[in-house]
PDB file of all heavy atoms in Angstrom:
ATOM      1  N   TYR A 117      39.485  12.018 -12.211  1.00 96.00           N
ATOM      2  CA  TYR A 117      40.634  11.957 -11.299  1.00 96.00           C
ATOM      3  C   TYR A 117      40.206  12.039  -9.832  1.00 96.00           C
ATOM      4  O   TYR A 117      40.710  11.310  -8.974  1.00 96.00           O
ATOM      5  CB  TYR A 117      41.600  13.096 -11.620  1.00 96.00           C
ATOM      6  CG  TYR A 117      42.874  13.066 -10.812  1.00 96.00           C
ATOM      7  CD1 TYR A 117      43.951  12.279 -11.203  1.00 96.00           C
ATOM      8  CD2 TYR A 117      43.010  13.836  -9.658  1.00 96.00           C
ATOM      9  CE1 TYR A 117      45.121  12.247 -10.467  1.00 96.00           C
ATOM     10  CE2 TYR A 117      44.170  13.814  -8.913  1.00 96.00           C
ATOM     11  CZ  TYR A 117      45.231  13.020  -9.325  1.00 96.00           C
ATOM     12  OH  TYR A 117      46.384  12.986  -8.573  1.00 96.00           O
ATOM     13  N   ILE A 118      39.262  12.919  -9.548  1.00 95.00           N
ATOM     14  CA  ILE A 118      38.873  13.153  -8.152  1.00 95.00           C
ATOM     15  C   ILE A 118      37.862  12.126  -7.639  1.00 95.00           C
ATOM     16  O   ILE A 118      38.008  11.592  -6.538  1.00 95.00           O
ATOM     17  CB  ILE A 118      38.278  14.574  -7.996  1.00 95.00           C
ATOM     18  CG1 ILE A 118      39.336  15.632  -8.286  1.00 95.00           C
ATOM     19  CG2 ILE A 118      37.729  14.770  -6.576  1.00 95.00           C
ATOM     20  CD1 ILE A 118      38.783  17.055  -8.269  1.00 95.00           C
ATOM     21  N   PHE A 119      36.859  11.818  -8.447  1.00 95.00           N
ATOM     22  CA  PHE A 119      35.718  11.062  -7.936  1.00 95.00           C
ATOM     23  C   PHE A 119      35.661   9.595  -8.359  1.00 95.00           C
ATOM     24  O   PHE A 119      34.993   8.799  -7.688  1.00 95.00           O
ATOM     25  CB  PHE A 119      34.411  11.748  -8.360  1.00 95.00           C
ATOM     26  CG  PHE A 119      34.264  13.154  -7.863  1.00 95.00           C
ATOM     27  CD1 PHE A 119      34.437  14.234  -8.721  1.00 95.00           C
ATOM     28  CD2 PHE A 119      33.971  13.415  -6.535  1.00 95.00           C
ATOM     29  CE1 PHE A 119      34.312  15.531  -8.268  1.00 95.00           C
ATOM     30  CE2 PHE A 119      33.841  14.708  -6.068  1.00 95.00           C
ATOM     31  CZ  PHE A 119      34.018  15.773  -6.935  1.00 95.00           C
ATOM     32  N   ALA A 120      36.307   9.243  -9.456  1.00 94.00           N
ATOM     33  CA  ALA A 120      36.161   7.878  -9.982  1.00 94.00           C
ATOM     34  C   ALA A 120      37.036   6.881  -9.219  1.00 94.00           C
ATOM     35  O   ALA A 120      38.175   7.180  -8.870  1.00 94.00           O
ATOM     36  CB  ALA A 120      36.510   7.848 -11.469  1.00 94.00           C
ATOM     37  N   ARG A 121      36.469   5.692  -8.999  1.00 91.00           N
ATOM     38  CA  ARG A 121      37.213   4.616  -8.341  1.00 91.00           C
ATOM     39  C   ARG A 121      37.438   3.432  -9.270  1.00 91.00           C
ATOM     40  O   ARG A 121      38.005   2.424  -8.879  1.00 91.00           O
ATOM     41  CB  ARG A 121      36.459   4.175  -7.078  1.00 91.00           C
ATOM     42  CG  ARG A 121      36.427   5.253  -5.992  1.00 91.00           C
ATOM     43  CD  ARG A 121      35.394   4.977  -4.931  1.00 91.00           C
ATOM     44  NE  ARG A 121      34.036   5.092  -5.468  1.00 91.00           N
ATOM     45  CZ  ARG A 121      32.942   5.062  -4.725  1.00 91.00           C
ATOM     46  NH1 ARG A 121      33.043   4.950  -3.409  1.00 91.00           N
ATOM     47  NH2 ARG A 121      31.749   5.149  -5.265  1.00 91.00           N
ATOM     48  N   SER A 122      36.976   3.561 -10.503  1.00 93.00           N
ATOM     49  CA  SER A 122      37.197   2.547 -11.531  1.00 93.00           C
ATOM     50  C   SER A 122      37.000   3.212 -12.887  1.00 93.00           C
ATOM     51  O   SER A 122      36.472   4.326 -12.984  1.00 93.00           O
ATOM     52  CB  SER A 122      36.222   1.385 -11.372  1.00 93.00           C
ATOM     53  OG  SER A 122      34.890   1.806 -11.642  1.00 93.00           O
ATOM     54  N   ILE A 123      37.429   2.541 -13.949  1.00 95.00           N
ATOM     55  CA  ILE A 123      37.273   3.101 -15.287  1.00 95.00           C
ATOM     56  C   ILE A 123      35.796   3.270 -15.635  1.00 95.00           C
ATOM     57  O   ILE A 123      35.391   4.273 -16.227  1.00 95.00           O
ATOM     58  CB  ILE A 123      37.985   2.206 -16.332  1.00 95.00           C
ATOM     59  CG1 ILE A 123      39.503   2.336 -16.187  1.00 95.00           C
ATOM     60  CG2 ILE A 123      37.555   2.599 -17.746  1.00 95.00           C
ATOM     61  CD1 ILE A 123      40.290   1.566 -17.206  1.00 95.00           C
ATOM     62  N   LYS A 124      34.984   2.284 -15.276  1.00 95.00           N
ATOM     63  CA  LYS A 124      33.550   2.373 -15.560  1.00 95.00           C
ATOM     64  C   LYS A 124      32.927   3.573 -14.855  1.00 95.00           C
ATOM     65  O   LYS A 124      32.110   4.295 -15.431  1.00 95.00           O
ATOM     66  CB  LYS A 124      32.848   1.088 -15.131  1.00 95.00           C
ATOM     67  CG  LYS A 124      33.141  -0.112 -16.025  1.00 95.00           C
ATOM     68  CD  LYS A 124      32.349  -1.323 -15.581  1.00 95.00           C
ATOM     69  CE  LYS A 124      32.614  -2.517 -16.499  1.00 95.00           C
ATOM     70  NZ  LYS A 124      31.840  -3.713 -16.088  1.00 95.00           N
TER      71      LYS A 124
END
Side-chain angles (χ1 to χ4, degrees):
Y117 185 84
I118 295 175
F119 300 105
R121 293 164 292 189
S122 67
I123 288 183
K124 288 183 179 180

